[in-house]
Amino acid sequence: TYHCRPDDIVVLVDGDDELLGRHAFKVFNHIYSKNDVDIVYSNHLQFYTHTRQVYRGWSQSYSDDDKRNNRYRDVIQKIAHLRTFKAKLFLNIKVEDLKDLNGEWYTSTYDEVICLPMLEMTCGRNMYI
């Protein structure tokens, strides 16, 4: 949080993930430079080594109605890998959003914990590619 400017683009890559292609970051940077968006996300492939099968991930776009009415918490989660966002969103997550109903810090599922409030902050300025 001390090394980012508010409009810097943050990319979340899990430790067990890898990027396909040498130009993944260039694609996302291009989307941000040509569109008024604060979050851009894509889909992923799941590769099962024991069966050698590949499955398409479950990411998809939120409907215009869901975006307009800020219903990200009311519908099934649609944002998955690769997740990118402007640093200002992360910096503005409320502490309450990082705690469960008992006031305890969430210890897992960071993607939902941080992505839902950030999606809400975008006021619909998010894009699935």
Side-chain angles (χ1 to χ4, degrees), residues 11-14 17-25 28 42 82:
V11 180
L12 297 181
V13 181
D14 291 348
D17 295 343
E18 60 183 277
L19 301 174
L20 289 175
R22 295 179 8 198
H23 303 289
F25 295 136
F28 280 86
S42 63
L82 185 64

Side-chain angles (χ1 to χ4, degrees), residues 51-104:
T51 62
R52 302 191 56 74
Q53 292 181 311
V54 178
Y55 298 96
R56 185 178 181 273
W58 46 266
S59 290
Q60 55 186 290
S61 183
Y62 288 91
S63 72
D64 289 339
D65 190 53
D66 290 338
K67 289 180 180 183
R68 190 173 30 262
N69 293 297
N70 218 4
R71 290 198 301 241
Y72 301 103
R73 295 178 195 249
D74 300 330
V75 297
I76 190 167
Q77 182 181 348
K78 298 178 181 185
I79 184 173
H81 308 282
L82 185 64
R83 296 177 204 92
T84 69
F85 50 88
K86 299 274 182 88
K88 64 185 172 188
L89 296 174
F90 183 82
L91 297 171
N92 285 307
I93 294 175
K94 297 175 186 167
V95 172
E96 309 88 73
D97 283 326
L98 303 176
K99 295 183 179 184
D100 64 22
L101 294 175
N102 298 318
E104 300 292 325

Side-chain angles (χ1 to χ4, degrees), residues 39-53:
I39 291 179
V40 178
Y41 61 102
S42 63
N43 216 332
H44 60 284
L45 299 173
Q46 296 176 318
F47 178 68
Y48 294 94
T49 54
H50 61 287
T51 62
R52 302 191 56 74
Q53 292 181 311

